[in-house]
Amino acid sequence: MLAFVTLTLALVGSALAEPISGRTCGSHPSDEAIAVVEKQFQNSKIEVADKSYNIKVYFHVISQDSSVDGGNIPDSQIEDQISVLNADYASAGVKWTLAATDRTVNPAWANVVASSPEQTAMKNALRKGGAGDLNVYTARSVRDSKGGDLLGYATFPWSYSANPRDDGVVVIASSLPGGTSAPFNLGKTLTHEAGHWAGLYHTFQGGCDAPGDYVDDTPYEASPAYGCPTGRDTCSAPGVDPIHNFMNYGDDPCLTEFTAGQAERLSAAITQFRGL
């Protein structure tokens, strides 16, 4: 199983690190690991038609101190982030409802390192709800195990049964609407990571080779699209690269859509693996 797999996105423009050229994936499941999961998924896939979802969201604000720079973002940014999620997922029939917000001042947790003992302790202490509830952890900084700065990372729905306490999304606080991580401060990082949490891969998964991201209506794409490269076409298969897709790596203003196929896939995934 694809347990414990997390998706990590490199942070651009953080006040805590020198800006780099664009988002990139710090770690992601191999094609072989995905093939194992997808075989199980397809063999037991639940067909869902025109179903809507109301998903509870638990926000855990982790800060180094009581300041905004320390990660202690105001409620207004969290409310704006929920509004962004609802706008972005409306076409997929998903509504996100803020269930609760808690705040923790803990320097050891405020600078999260993916899969570290400190991250595990944080999630074990704070996670709420069940498989169908999204837990979001915002932190002053987020890094991979090698020390690289990240925008965020997420677990997949099929990982829940093996490690329920690990389930959820971690994002850097400055990526929320109104944050300081421009051009990644319109809230699209959580939209992207929630997509993984709901069962979506990157649009460039598998490159130009079938089955790609396991969604029929997202054109094949050889590599991530950074910025907003209009007209980019990296594969010979029909269709230009889906640069505006939320599961790509564009700047926040460039990311505007899910496809109908992605909506169908995430619906099946959260129904099957999250009991919704």
Side-chain angles (χ1 to χ4, degrees), residues 128-206:
K128 296 179 180 178
D133 301 314
L134 175 63
N135 279 250
V136 178
Y137 305 83
T138 65
R140 178 175 179 265
S141 71
V142 183
R143 293 184 171 90
D144 63 23
S145 59
K146 297 180 179 179
D149 288 309
L150 312 171
L151 275 175
Y153 57 92
T155 58
F156 288 99
W158 38 83
S159 300
Y160 180 84
S161 61
N163 193 359
R165 303 300 298 179
D166 189 52
D167 186 65
V169 168
V170 179
V171 297
I172 191 167
S174 56
S175 72
L176 270 64
T180 58
S181 291
F184 305 104
N185 62 342
L186 301 181
K188 305 302 180 179
T189 293
L190 186 52
T191 297
H192 179 107
E193 298 300 345
H196 293 314
W197 183 85
L200 299 180
Y201 299 123
H202 294 131
T203 53
F204 48 86
Q205 178 68 45

Side-chain angles (χ1 to χ4, degrees), residues 41 46 48-49 72 97 104 159 174 177 179 185 190 200 204 218 225 238 252:
F41 185 20
I46 301 172
V48 180
N72 189 29
T97 299
T104 303
S159 300
S174 56
N185 62 342
L190 186 52
L200 299 180
F204 48 86
T218 54
D252 275 18

Side-chain angles (χ1 to χ4, degrees), residues 40-93:
Q40 179 193 10
F41 185 20
Q42 297 303 322
N43 286 343
S44 56
K45 189 174 182 180
I46 301 172
E47 296 298 331
V48 180
D50 299 324
K51 187 174 181 180
S52 60
Y53 305 86
N54 191 342
I55 298 176
K56 294 178 181 178
V57 182
Y58 293 94
F59 256 87
H60 310 287
V61 179
I62 317 299
S63 60
Q64 183 162 297
D65 51 43
S66 60
S67 70
V68 174
D69 287 345
N72 189 29
I73 53 175
D75 288 341
S76 59
Q77 281 188 271
I78 295 172
E79 292 163 1
D80 288 346
Q81 178 67 78
I82 293 294
S83 294
V84 169
L85 283 176
N86 281 322
D88 292 345
Y89 280 85
S91 64

